[in-house]
Amino acid sequence: MTPEMIPFLAICIFIVAMLYASVGHGGASGYLAVMALFSLHPEALKPTALLLNIVVAGVGAYLYCSARQFSWRVFWPFVITSIPASFLGGTFSLPPEIYRPALGMVLLFAAWRLFVRKDQVDYATQAPARTTAMLVGAVLGFVSGLIGVGGGIFLSPLMILLRWARVREVSGIAALFILVNSISGLLGHMSSLHHLPDYASLLAGMALIGGSIGALCGSRHLPVATILKAMSIMLVLAGGKMFLI
């Protein structure tokens, strides 16, 4: 990528961070797609996406928690197994043709289910059994470390479709889930850090600004119905990226 294209990449990162943070996501799937379109070196994609994920999920977790859109009781069984699983997943490198189509189908199906259901705004919740949450956390943690995302893109629709928490709480839980798994996944892929581009700090700064705006809107101002539609769009974009890039 030429130096002249860096400002345009930074603007795209800002937009992706703002959109994803509005639903409690870090945006890694979006960053991977944008950076691939700008022809970043393949070895720089995963560590850069995880770095940006940490920045955006960090500010998102803070804003959602400060707005009291978070449930520690629901959160901790997922994360206790996802952290080591994400670290383990970060040490693996699989050919994308093995896992991308399957993940893409899962994300597109989740997007469709969220979009067509009419009873998502107000519903009774039931937290999952601890063993179920721990098993789900382990699977999602490993997958997130493997492909270089925080796992929230999978956890959020699952929690809403199974009514494990309310929509805004799901966003807060997803943000902190993404943060800890991105850190763990990056630690499991430490050798890749020397592939970070020289302008990584610029991208991180733009992600921080965009993520702050998006998380502030999502945690306090956006209607729940709008958050659900936005989440459906994010899932479509992430699922489509699995097939196209």
Side-chain angles (χ1 to χ4, degrees), residues 95-108 239 241-243:
E97 60 270 15
I98 293 179
Y99 62 82
R100 284 187 182 275
L103 292 178
M105 290 298 295
V106 170
L107 292 172
L108 291 176
K241 191 267 298 183
M242 294 293 176
F243 293 97

Side-chain angles (χ1 to χ4, degrees), residues 71-128:
S71 172
W72 177 259
R73 180 175 62 87
V74 177
F75 171 76
W76 77 261
F78 288 102
V79 78
I80 198 171
T81 53
S82 71
I83 293 176
S86 180
F87 180 88
L88 180 63
T91 65
F92 284 83
S93 181
L94 292 179
E97 60 270 15
I98 293 179
Y99 62 82
R100 284 187 182 275
L103 292 178
M105 290 298 295
V106 170
L107 292 172
L108 291 176
F109 175 76
W112 173 72
R113 291 294 297 159
L114 281 181
F115 194 83
V116 299
R117 288 186 62 167
K118 305 300 183 183
D119 58 348
Q120 298 286 8
V121 175
D122 187 20
Y123 53 82
T125 62
Q126 176 63 52

Side-chain angles (χ1 to χ4, degrees), residues 21-24 60-61 63-65 67-71 120-121 123 125 156 159-160 165-175 214-228 231:
S22 69
V23 296
L63 290 173
Y64 277 97
C65 289
R68 298 185 179 181
Q69 305 296 343
F70 180 78
S71 172
Q120 298 286 8
V121 175
Y123 53 82
T125 62
S156 291
M159 294 189 71
I160 292 174
R166 296 195 177 278
V167 173
R168 291 191 192 277
E169 280 188 344
V170 167
S171 295
I173 291 168
L216 186 62
C217 292
S219 62
R220 292 170 170 83
H221 304 298
L222 291 181
V224 170
T226 301
I227 294 174
L228 289 171
M231 192 177 296

Side-chain angles (χ1 to χ4, degrees), residues 137-149:
V139 173
L140 297 187
F142 182 82
V143 172
S144 68
L146 179 67
I147 66 177
V149 300

Side-chain angles (χ1 to χ4, degrees), residues 33-62:
V34 168
M35 291 186 295
L37 290 174
F38 276 84
S39 301
L40 263 71
H41 195 283
E43 293 182 341
L45 295 179
K46 186 174 180 178
T48 306
L50 285 172
L51 174 64
L52 299 177
N53 231 29
I54 291 169
V55 171
V56 175
V59 70
Y62 170 77

